[in-house]
Amino acid sequence: MSIRHFTLDSERSCVWVDARSNLHPIHSETRGLQGWVETAVLEDGTLDLDLGVAGVLEVAADRLSSGNKLYDLELRRRIDAPTYPTIAGAITNVGRGARPQEYLVTGDLTFHGRTRSFTHEMTIGLSDDRNITLQGDYVFDIRQFNLKPPSMLMLKVYPEIAVRIELYGTVDT
């Protein structure tokens, strides 16, 4: 069994961020994610965890956008995008989940100059020998990254943000 290197498709891969405020929800959809995943696959289509799984994901902080110019300016100011231009994740461990294509993925997330480790369940599947899909969601508290929740005029954003990610990779030829 050999390890395959999958390069993420930056046009198809996406991260959605949903925040809540005292006035209304705030939604962001971001593409342009860059990265790769390396893993070996067993004959039944599951990951060969004995050989390990590695992966890296990056997105430019200034790509985050809610579609509201005022909110986006405040977001970039808060996260200090010029000083911390990249949001990065790295897989550090993968374990079996409850079902065949579900895995407990541990990774380090670096955001706003802080790195935190998180474990969450992800669905990882191969549609054929050349394509891999990783999907998961997690609720983060932005205060863990030394960020104060934004507030502007009468708008107060709560610190918990829901993040959903879908990554699509193709094996390098």
Side-chain angles (χ1 to χ4, degrees):
M1 189 78 33
S2 64
I3 293 180
R4 298 182 195 163
H5 183 93
F6 297 88
T7 299
L8 298 181
D9 181 335
S10 64
E11 291 181 24
R12 289 185 63 209
S13 298
C14 189
V15 62
W16 293 268
V17 177
D18 290 299
R20 295 180 316 113
S21 76
N22 61 329
L23 298 178
H24 53 75
I26 300 169
H27 178 74
S28 170
E29 180 177 316
T30 304
R31 297 193 186 271
L33 289 73
Q34 304 285 319
W36 54 267
V37 175
E38 287 183 343
T39 187
V41 181
L42 298 171
E43 288 185 23
D44 66 358
T46 60
L47 305 183
D48 185 344
L49 299 181
D50 292 336
L51 292 180
V53 179
V56 170
L57 172 67
E58 292 186 345
V59 64
D62 63 3
R63 290 190 69 93
L64 299 176
S65 174
S66 68
N68 180 307
K69 197 174 270 195
L70 181 62
Y71 292 173
D72 294 345
L73 285 171
E74 178 63 12
L75 171 66
R76 288 186 183 99
R77 186 186 73 73
R78 285 265 174 191
I79 65 174
D80 195 5
T83 303
Y84 307 107
T86 304
I87 301 166
I91 295 173
T92 58
N93 189 48
V94 176
R96 298 227 180 270
R99 292 186 267 307
Q101 291 190 335
E102 290 181 0
Y103 298 89
L104 287 177
V105 177
T106 301
D108 290 337
L109 178 64
T110 302
F111 176 58
H112 194 248
R114 308 266 182 193
T115 301
R116 300 288 181 258
S117 183
F118 297 94
T119 300
H120 61 98
E121 193 168 88
M122 290 190 82
T123 302
I124 304 174
L126 282 96
S127 57
D128 54 40
D129 286 343
R130 301 188 36 79
N131 297 291
I132 192 168
T133 303
L134 298 90
Q135 300 174 320
D137 52 64
Y138 194 85
V139 176
F140 294 93
D141 186 325
I142 62 171
R143 296 172 294 194
Q144 292 177 293
F145 295 95
N146 202 31
L147 283 169
K148 287 179 61 178
S151 59
M152 301 177 301
L153 303 171
M154 294 182 61
L155 177 74
K156 178 183 177 186
V157 178
Y158 301 115
E160 297 83 15
I161 60 167
V163 176
R164 181 170 57 99
I165 193 161
E166 290 182 9
L167 305 174
Y168 298 94
T170 303
V171 76
D172 294 340
T173 53

